[in-house]
Amino acid sequence: YRSTGGPGDTAIDLVEMFTELPEDRRRATLPQDQAFRIETVDIGGEQKQALFAHPTTRVTYTVTVPNDAWFRAWLGLKPEAWTKSADGVLFRVGVSDGRTYEELVNQHVDPANNASDRRWVPVTADLSAYAGQTIDIILNTNSSLPGRGDDAGNDWAVWGNPAVIVQR
């Protein structure tokens, strides 16, 4: 999962790593074959390799964090969902060292009701506090905001190019 090159390089490609994850590291309310797939997704003319994760899902990656590492991804809902009845998806990213859990990203994306979400929404999180440690990076999709029910209709959530990158 490593690449070489300059600043901001992908150290760990989480899309590539997904295909090798055991099923118990991929949890979903739908059957696995309906909840997850890897595909190229075009949003606004920008294509990204994406992990489709229909809520409610949790994907847990175990990684050893390099120095100067950041989590980076682009969040979105597939354009086919933008004009359908929906209430968006809550994307969450957290890390666990086996003793504690820290939420690093909490982002609601709702292109059906918020036109500014009709794009790839970039997110980053500093992982430098975990340099040299083996941790779990946990990607969650929730079908609705807390307290707003559980409407998974048209929640075609995608994680674009999720990766651990190194800033130099």
PDB file of all heavy atoms in Angstrom, residues 72-75 105 107 119-124:
ATOM      1  N   ARG A  72      -6.726  11.465   4.896  1.00  0.00           N
ATOM      2  CA  ARG A  72      -7.302  12.334   3.876  1.00  0.00           C
ATOM      3  C   ARG A  72      -8.334  11.555   3.069  1.00  0.00           C
ATOM      4  O   ARG A  72      -8.109  10.399   2.709  1.00  0.00           O
ATOM      5  CB  ARG A  72      -6.216  12.846   2.926  1.00  0.00           C
ATOM      6  CG  ARG A  72      -6.795  13.764   1.831  1.00  0.00           C
ATOM      7  CD  ARG A  72      -5.822  14.026   0.720  1.00  0.00           C
ATOM      8  NE  ARG A  72      -5.556  12.771   0.014  1.00  0.00           N
ATOM      9  CZ  ARG A  72      -4.486  12.578  -0.756  1.00  0.00           C
ATOM     10  NH1 ARG A  72      -3.577  13.487  -0.907  1.00  0.00           N
ATOM     11  NH2 ARG A  72      -4.330  11.422  -1.371  1.00  0.00           N
ATOM     12  N   ALA A  73      -9.461  12.195   2.814  1.00  0.00           N
ATOM     13  CA  ALA A  73     -10.486  11.603   1.945  1.00  0.00           C
ATOM     14  C   ALA A  73     -11.344  12.719   1.390  1.00  0.00           C
ATOM     15  O   ALA A  73     -11.299  13.864   1.856  1.00  0.00           O
ATOM     16  CB  ALA A  73     -11.348  10.610   2.725  1.00  0.00           C
ATOM     17  N   TRP A  74     -12.125  12.367   0.388  1.00  0.00           N
ATOM     18  CA  TRP A  74     -13.166  13.249  -0.133  1.00  0.00           C
ATOM     19  C   TRP A  74     -14.479  12.504   0.070  1.00  0.00           C
ATOM     20  O   TRP A  74     -14.591  11.323  -0.260  1.00  0.00           O
ATOM     21  CB  TRP A  74     -12.942  13.540  -1.614  1.00  0.00           C
ATOM     22  CG  TRP A  74     -11.814  14.480  -1.848  1.00  0.00           C
ATOM     23  CD1 TRP A  74     -11.908  15.844  -2.006  1.00  0.00           C
ATOM     24  CD2 TRP A  74     -10.428  14.169  -1.982  1.00  0.00           C
ATOM     25  NE1 TRP A  74     -10.660  16.379  -2.210  1.00  0.00           N
ATOM     26  CE2 TRP A  74      -9.725  15.372  -2.193  1.00  0.00           C
ATOM     27  CE3 TRP A  74      -9.687  12.982  -1.918  1.00  0.00           C
ATOM     28  CZ2 TRP A  74      -8.355  15.426  -2.352  1.00  0.00           C
ATOM     29  CZ3 TRP A  74      -8.315  13.025  -2.069  1.00  0.00           C
ATOM     30  CH2 TRP A  74      -7.669  14.245  -2.285  1.00  0.00           C
ATOM     31  N   LEU A  75     -15.453  13.182   0.632  1.00  0.00           N
ATOM     32  CA  LEU A  75     -16.744  12.585   0.931  1.00  0.00           C
ATOM     33  C   LEU A  75     -17.760  13.026  -0.101  1.00  0.00           C
ATOM     34  O   LEU A  75     -17.706  14.153  -0.594  1.00  0.00           O
ATOM     35  CB  LEU A  75     -17.213  13.027   2.322  1.00  0.00           C
ATOM     36  CG  LEU A  75     -16.183  12.933   3.444  1.00  0.00           C
ATOM     37  CD1 LEU A  75     -16.771  13.480   4.736  1.00  0.00           C
ATOM     38  CD2 LEU A  75     -15.691  11.509   3.614  1.00  0.00           C
ATOM     39  N   VAL A 105     -13.198  13.173  12.545  1.00  0.00           N
ATOM     40  CA  VAL A 105     -14.029  13.796  11.508  1.00  0.00           C
ATOM     41  C   VAL A 105     -15.482  13.474  11.818  1.00  0.00           C
ATOM     42  O   VAL A 105     -15.814  12.328  12.138  1.00  0.00           O
ATOM     43  CB  VAL A 105     -13.667  13.268  10.091  1.00  0.00           C
ATOM     44  CG1 VAL A 105     -14.625  13.794   9.041  1.00  0.00           C
ATOM     45  CG2 VAL A 105     -12.226  13.605   9.726  1.00  0.00           C
ATOM     46  N   GLN A 107     -18.810  14.787   9.697  1.00  0.00           N
ATOM     47  CA  GLN A 107     -19.233  15.652   8.591  1.00  0.00           C
ATOM     48  C   GLN A 107     -20.548  15.142   7.988  1.00  0.00           C
ATOM     49  O   GLN A 107     -20.606  14.023   7.505  1.00  0.00           O
ATOM     50  CB  GLN A 107     -18.140  15.675   7.513  1.00  0.00           C
ATOM     51  CG  GLN A 107     -18.464  16.498   6.294  1.00  0.00           C
ATOM     52  CD  GLN A 107     -18.418  17.982   6.565  1.00  0.00           C
ATOM     53  OE1 GLN A 107     -17.485  18.472   7.177  1.00  0.00           O
ATOM     54  NE2 GLN A 107     -19.439  18.705   6.129  1.00  0.00           N
ATOM     55  N   ARG A 119     -20.704  18.098  -4.499  1.00  0.00           N
ATOM     56  CA  ARG A 119     -19.281  18.113  -4.853  1.00  0.00           C
ATOM     57  C   ARG A 119     -18.580  17.083  -3.980  1.00  0.00           C
ATOM     58  O   ARG A 119     -19.187  16.480  -3.101  1.00  0.00           O
ATOM     59  CB  ARG A 119     -18.687  19.493  -4.574  1.00  0.00           C
ATOM     60  CG  ARG A 119     -18.748  19.854  -3.081  1.00  0.00           C
ATOM     61  CD  ARG A 119     -18.298  21.283  -2.777  1.00  0.00           C
ATOM     62  NE  ARG A 119     -18.483  21.599  -1.378  1.00  0.00           N
ATOM     63  CZ  ARG A 119     -17.531  21.528  -0.442  1.00  0.00           C
ATOM     64  NH1 ARG A 119     -16.313  21.145  -0.767  1.00  0.00           N
ATOM     65  NH2 ARG A 119     -17.796  21.840   0.810  1.00  0.00           N
ATOM     66  N   TRP A 120     -17.286  16.890  -4.234  1.00  0.00           N
ATOM     67  CA  TRP A 120     -16.450  16.133  -3.315  1.00  0.00           C
ATOM     68  C   TRP A 120     -16.131  17.049  -2.145  1.00  0.00           C
ATOM     69  O   TRP A 120     -15.634  18.153  -2.345  1.00  0.00           O
ATOM     70  CB  TRP A 120     -15.151  15.693  -3.978  1.00  0.00           C
ATOM     71  CG  TRP A 120     -15.279  14.574  -4.963  1.00  0.00           C
ATOM     72  CD1 TRP A 120     -15.135  14.656  -6.315  1.00  0.00           C
ATOM     73  CD2 TRP A 120     -15.544  13.207  -4.673  1.00  0.00           C
ATOM     74  NE1 TRP A 120     -15.302  13.418  -6.876  1.00  0.00           N
ATOM     75  CE2 TRP A 120     -15.552  12.507  -5.893  1.00  0.00           C
ATOM     76  CE3 TRP A 120     -15.783  12.494  -3.488  1.00  0.00           C
ATOM     77  CZ2 TRP A 120     -15.783  11.138  -5.966  1.00  0.00           C
ATOM     78  CZ3 TRP A 120     -16.010  11.134  -3.567  1.00  0.00           C
ATOM     79  CH2 TRP A 120     -16.009  10.461  -4.793  1.00  0.00           C
ATOM     80  N   VAL A 121     -16.405  16.610  -0.929  1.00  0.00           N
ATOM     81  CA  VAL A 121     -16.142  17.399   0.276  1.00  0.00           C
ATOM     82  C   VAL A 121     -14.825  16.884   0.876  1.00  0.00           C
ATOM     83  O   VAL A 121     -14.770  15.761   1.373  1.00  0.00           O
ATOM     84  CB  VAL A 121     -17.295  17.262   1.296  1.00  0.00           C
ATOM     85  CG1 VAL A 121     -16.976  18.025   2.572  1.00  0.00           C
ATOM     86  CG2 VAL A 121     -18.615  17.732   0.678  1.00  0.00           C
ATOM     87  N   PRO A 122     -13.761  17.706   0.833  1.00  0.00           N
ATOM     88  CA  PRO A 122     -12.472  17.231   1.339  1.00  0.00           C
ATOM     89  C   PRO A 122     -12.429  17.240   2.866  1.00  0.00           C
ATOM     90  O   PRO A 122     -12.931  18.162   3.506  1.00  0.00           O
ATOM     91  CB  PRO A 122     -11.475  18.241   0.766  1.00  0.00           C
ATOM     92  CG  PRO A 122     -12.270  19.499   0.591  1.00  0.00           C
ATOM     93  CD  PRO A 122     -13.681  19.063   0.285  1.00  0.00           C
ATOM     94  N   VAL A 123     -11.823  16.201   3.432  1.00  0.00           N
ATOM     95  CA  VAL A 123     -11.592  16.148   4.877  1.00  0.00           C
ATOM     96  C   VAL A 123     -10.174  15.650   5.128  1.00  0.00           C
ATOM     97  O   VAL A 123      -9.650  14.810   4.383  1.00  0.00           O
ATOM     98  CB  VAL A 123     -12.605  15.254   5.631  1.00  0.00           C
ATOM     99  CG1 VAL A 123     -14.008  15.824   5.552  1.00  0.00           C
ATOM    100  CG2 VAL A 123     -12.579  13.824   5.142  1.00  0.00           C
ATOM    101  N   THR A 124      -9.566  16.190   6.181  1.00  0.00           N
ATOM    102  CA  THR A 124      -8.260  15.722   6.623  1.00  0.00           C
ATOM    103  C   THR A 124      -8.271  15.664   8.145  1.00  0.00           C
ATOM    104  O   THR A 124      -9.055  16.363   8.794  1.00  0.00           O
ATOM    105  CB  THR A 124      -7.118  16.661   6.177  1.00  0.00           C
ATOM    106  OG1 THR A 124      -7.366  17.967   6.680  1.00  0.00           O
ATOM    107  CG2 THR A 124      -6.974  16.697   4.660  1.00  0.00           C
TER     108      THR A 124
END
